[in-house]
Amino acid sequence: MSSIIGVIEAALRNSEPLAPPASLSDSPLAVVMVLIREGSEPTLILTQRTSNLSSHGGEVAWPGGRVDPEDATPWSACLRETLEEIGVPTQIPRLLGVLPGEVSKFGLWVTPYVCTIGEDQPLLPNPDEVASVFEVPWRWLNAHPPREVERLDRHGQTQWAPVYQYEGYRIWGLTALILASLLRVCRGP
């Protein structure tokens, strides 16, 4: 296991999903899987959604989606969505912990689960949902801070989100907010 994965695991060891704020208590829940590929050079796995999707079409995203009524828990929804989108069997991801929740532009409360997969785990993108899968090396993130910050106005709140440019992919919005949260966890208080 790489040292960065050990740092993340230690930082998130006792993390629990946060309840949505009172203003969102009746809002639908959603989940994303912040997926890290283990190995000597860990990478973060991201997708670019197909442009024909009704929400977030063409955007860079973590695997994930809404928690459906048939999902036993948000965690089971996260596993289901990751299987549906990039073909990772539900028994494969190893949960390291949970990052603080975020509000999506559609008013959903999104819980990010941080997980690892082995370096040889194949990814099988669903062509109906995923245009491409790409991996950002952890080393690259540390060497390339965001070059811009973008204003996000969401449900009466203003947030400033970093924007990353990686090999032609634009990582912004909620995806970048979650990435920034992960980076803060790794750097400590």
Side-chain angles (χ1 to χ4, degrees):
M1 174 176 24
S2 82
S3 62
I4 193 58
I5 292 173
V7 167
I8 295 168
E9 189 168 23
L12 297 178
R13 184 167 290 127
N14 297 316
S15 61
E16 292 288 330
L18 298 175
S23 62
L24 295 172
S25 62
D26 293 331
S27 298
L29 301 178
V31 291
V32 296
M33 186 175 290
V34 177
L35 199 53
I36 304 168
R37 185 181 294 280
E38 294 180 4
S40 59
E41 294 290 331
T43 59
L44 290 168
I45 299 170
L46 291 158
T47 68
Q48 183 169 34
R49 297 171 55 84
T50 58
S51 58
N52 63 331
L53 293 174
S54 61
S55 69
H56 307 292
E59 294 179 11
V60 168
W62 306 104
R66 284 184 186 238
V67 175
D68 291 340
E70 61 272 10
D71 293 317
T73 63
W75 170 240
S76 63
C78 192
L79 292 169
R80 175 186 54 76
E81 287 284 350
T82 303
L83 172 63
E84 288 174 7
E85 291 182 21
I86 60 173
V88 175
T90 58
Q91 71 275 14
I92 296 295
R94 183 172 71 90
L95 180 63
L96 301 181
V98 183
L99 292 170
E102 295 281 355
V103 180
S104 79
K105 65 183 173 184
F106 297 113
L108 286 84
W109 180 250
V110 180
T111 300
Y113 290 88
V114 181
C115 301
T116 62
I117 59 170
E119 63 184 316
D120 297 326
Q121 177 61 47
L123 303 175
L124 306 167
N126 175 346
D128 294 332
E129 295 187 37
V130 177
S132 63
V133 176
F134 64 101
E135 300 187 34
V136 181
W138 191 262
R139 182 182 302 205
W140 184 91
L141 285 168
N142 286 321
H144 297 87
R147 293 194 178 161
E148 62 181 292
V149 177
E150 193 166 66
R151 180 184 170 135
L152 304 174
D153 292 312
R154 297 188 168 167
H155 308 278
Q157 293 184 336
T158 298
Q159 293 176 294
W160 295 93
V163 178
Y164 297 87
Q165 299 286 343
Y166 178 74
E167 295 188 355
Y169 292 100
R170 185 171 191 267
I171 305 167
W172 66 284
L174 181 66
T175 302
L177 286 172
I178 292 169
L179 176 55
S181 178
L182 178 65
L183 293 171
R184 275 192 304 279
V185 162
C186 294
R187 293 182 180 128

